[in-house]
Amino acid sequence: MDSHYILYSDAGSGGVAVEAALTLMGQRYEVVEAPTSEPDDVAGGDRVLAANPLRQVPALVLPGGEVMTESAAILLRLGELHPGFAPGPDDPRRPAFLRWMAYVSAAIYSLYWVKDDPSRLVPDPAAQPALVARTLARISECWGIMEREAAPRRYILGDELTVLDLYVTVVSRFQPRRRRFYEVAPRLGEVVRRVDADPRLAALWAERYPFEPGWDRL
Ligand SMILES: N[C@@H](CCC(=O)N[C@@H](CS)C(=O)NCC(=O)O)C(=O)O
């Protein structure tokens, strides 16, 4: 049986958090490029339909052929399969780990379905800028709540990097981008800058989520 993963992903997407996890875990994976947020490449984005009828990346085909969607679920499963990047069931950090994995997915990441195309909920173009602004404000509010409740240290759960740190590092690069994120979540900001600078991920970040000068001050 072929033992590699197939990941439907897109540069600059949440799929890069899964790419980072597979990289740190030393797993072989093949990326199927599916630019789901690129209106000029509808056919490219449609590639993910083979794995996810929601037409969203990431979607992961496990070595045994089973398909997984949902970034948090994928990261949790990879953490189970490849120990060292997620607290196990008996670890005292486990409840916080599960809480914040679900929170990033449900309270924050899901809002980009609205932010990226407000016409999905509000057909009137005149009303859409306000919807986008309020959605971005909600995202910032949620990061601020996580900052206060999670009390991050070197990494979010303590001294060791987990897939939660990878998840927050990538999702916090989305709009309203890092300058606002650092304002509302300064300690999480230190964590994500540490993960940004992790030498094990330098090549991946450069290829899949390249930083232009000043990218984190936008
Ligand atoms: N709940 C999904 C959200 C994934 C998601 O929103 N992915 C974006 C890329 S970052 C996407 O494919 N958007 C296209 C769309 O929603 O139409 C997850 O956590 O995996």
Side-chain angles (χ1 to χ4, degrees):
M1 183 175 65
D2 192 356
S3 66
H4 78 290
Y5 290 92
I6 298 171
L7 178 66
Y8 293 81
S9 186
D10 184 21
S13 78
V16 180
V18 179
E19 295 178 38
L22 289 166
T23 299
L24 289 182
M25 292 166 179
Q27 296 303 306
R28 255 183 353 109
Y29 66 97
E30 168 195 340
V31 172
V32 178
E33 299 291 348
T36 50
S37 304
E38 179 49 69
D40 294 334
D41 189 2
V42 174
D46 282 351
R47 275 183 215 125
V48 75
L49 289 172
N52 187 358
L54 280 184
R55 200 180 180 277
Q56 291 182 329
V57 289
L60 183 69
V61 185
L62 300 173
E66 188 170 351
V67 173
M68 287 193 74
T69 66
E70 297 303 322
S71 52
I74 290 169
L75 290 168
L76 288 167
R77 183 63 181 143
L78 290 176
E80 291 173 344
L81 292 170
H82 309 293
F85 298 94
D90 299 327
D91 190 307
R93 298 170 300 165
R94 182 76 172 179
F97 174 65
L98 294 176
R99 175 185 180 187
W100 297 117
M101 288 298 295
Y103 180 92
V104 172
S105 171
I108 297 175
Y109 196 179
S110 64
L111 292 180
Y112 288 91
W113 187 79
V114 178
K115 199 286 296 170
D116 288 346
D117 184 356
S119 71
R120 285 167 163 161
L121 290 187
V122 175
D124 177 6
Q128 291 166 10
L131 177 60
V132 170
R134 287 182 181 211
T135 304
L136 292 174
R138 172 66 175 170
I139 288 167
S140 295
E141 179 189 20
C142 289
W143 285 130
I145 290 168
M146 182 172 177
E147 165 87 4
R148 292 190 292 280
E149 295 281 311
R153 294 172 290 278
R154 179 170 172 77
Y155 293 105
I156 298 172
L157 300 175
D159 290 333
E160 291 164 27
L161 180 149
T162 71
V163 292
L164 174 62
D165 300 293
L166 302 175
Y167 202 20
V168 172
T169 296
V170 169
V171 176
S172 66
R173 295 178 187 186
F174 302 165
Q175 286 185 24
R177 298 196 192 264
R178 285 288 185 78
R179 188 178 63 182
R180 184 82 185 115
F181 179 77
Y182 297 149
E183 284 168 4
V184 298
R187 286 175 298 168
L188 285 173
E190 285 176 29
V191 170
V192 297
R193 278 185 271 222
R194 184 165 291 116
V195 181
D196 291 342
D198 191 317
R200 297 170 296 175
L201 295 170
L204 176 80
W205 297 145
E207 187 187 340
R208 301 296 289 164
Y209 215 134
F211 301 149
E212 289 157 12
W215 68 276
D216 61 347
R217 295 190 295 279
L218 292 171

